[in-house]
Amino acid sequence: MKKIGLLSDTHSCFDDRFAEYFAGCDEIWHAGDIGDIDVLMRLRDIAPVRAVCGNIDGAVLRRECPEVDCFTIEGVKVWMTHICGYPGKYSPGVRKILMEEKPQLVIAGHSHILRVMYDQGLSLLLINPGAAGFQGWQKVRTLVRFVIDGSEIRDLEVIELAPRMRGM
């Protein structure tokens, strides 16, 4: 059993509450647009981190993080990238990759829109944790926690940090 903390689109923002909400997680996953290597390092102080780079991430983060990470944890094959779309509206080429890779879980960011959707046709769960940073138009900053237990994905929690306002 693995407890996962998930976030995306921090855009250089590290909120001290990340440590509180991700305490006890076995891994933290960041779905891109990290913004600053310091955010990644501070997350690593909390738990081991898997991260992909996003479209705003510069050379330092691109050397540290791949564009796509495909891995198996417990009994679940995971495909994580920043720009993916969602069931019925995948980004160009993504559906074909998902058909070839056959993940059970897809993790994405980019839209700043919290989404948890099941793709019946591809038999996969897509999770986009929304945006944890201040950049963008989202009204509420969000994080996600969930458990992977064997082949089961369960106990998904959405954490609302606060309305999107500056001044932390």
Side-chain angles (χ1 to χ4, degrees):
M1 183 175 80
K2 299 283 185 189
K3 186 171 185 178
I4 308 299
L6 174 61
L7 73 168
S8 185
D9 296 279
T10 48
H11 291 264
S12 301
C13 167
F14 185 89
D15 186 318
D16 289 334
R17 291 174 292 175
F18 296 168
E20 173 189 340
Y21 289 117
F22 292 155
C25 287
D26 296 295
E27 291 186 4
I28 298 170
W29 299 351
H30 196 304
D33 278 2
I34 301 160
D36 189 305
I37 193 73
D38 185 56
V39 172
L40 197 59
M41 297 307 185
R42 292 179 74 183
L43 289 171
R44 287 176 177 161
D45 289 340
I46 303 166
V49 175
R50 293 181 191 264
V52 293
C53 62
N55 56 297
I56 66 115
D57 293 322
V60 171
L61 283 163
R62 288 182 181 280
R63 281 191 296 274
E64 189 75 20
C65 305
E67 285 186 35
V68 173
D69 193 2
C70 189
F71 57 94
T72 300
I73 183 166
E74 292 280 298
V76 175
K77 185 173 183 180
V78 180
W79 192 79
M80 181 166 60
T81 195
H82 183 60
I83 299 174
C84 175
Y86 54 91
K89 299 262 185 194
Y90 288 116
S91 299
V94 169
R95 183 171 169 69
K96 182 177 187 278
I97 293 167
L98 296 178
M99 288 173 65
E100 291 168 2
E101 291 291 336
K102 296 182 178 18
Q104 288 87 38
L105 177 60
V106 172
I107 303 295
H110 186 62
S111 69
H112 292 220
I113 299 169
L114 173 70
R115 289 187 193 273
V116 179
M117 299 177 74
Y118 190 74
D119 185 325
Q120 201 73 27
L122 295 177
S123 300
L124 62 83
L125 178 66
L126 178 132
I127 304 173
N128 182 325
F134 293 106
Q135 205 66 23
W137 54 269
Q138 72 280 357
K139 291 186 183 343
V140 178
R141 298 167 49 232
T142 52
L143 309 171
V144 170
R145 287 186 304 213
F146 59 96
V147 169
I148 298 177
D149 189 0
S151 62
E152 185 179 18
I153 303 161
R154 61 179 174 81
D155 300 339
L156 189 135
E157 303 171 85
V158 173
I159 299 154
E160 293 186 353
L161 292 172
R164 190 186 72 93
M165 55 178 63
R166 298 218 178 257
M168 290 198 71

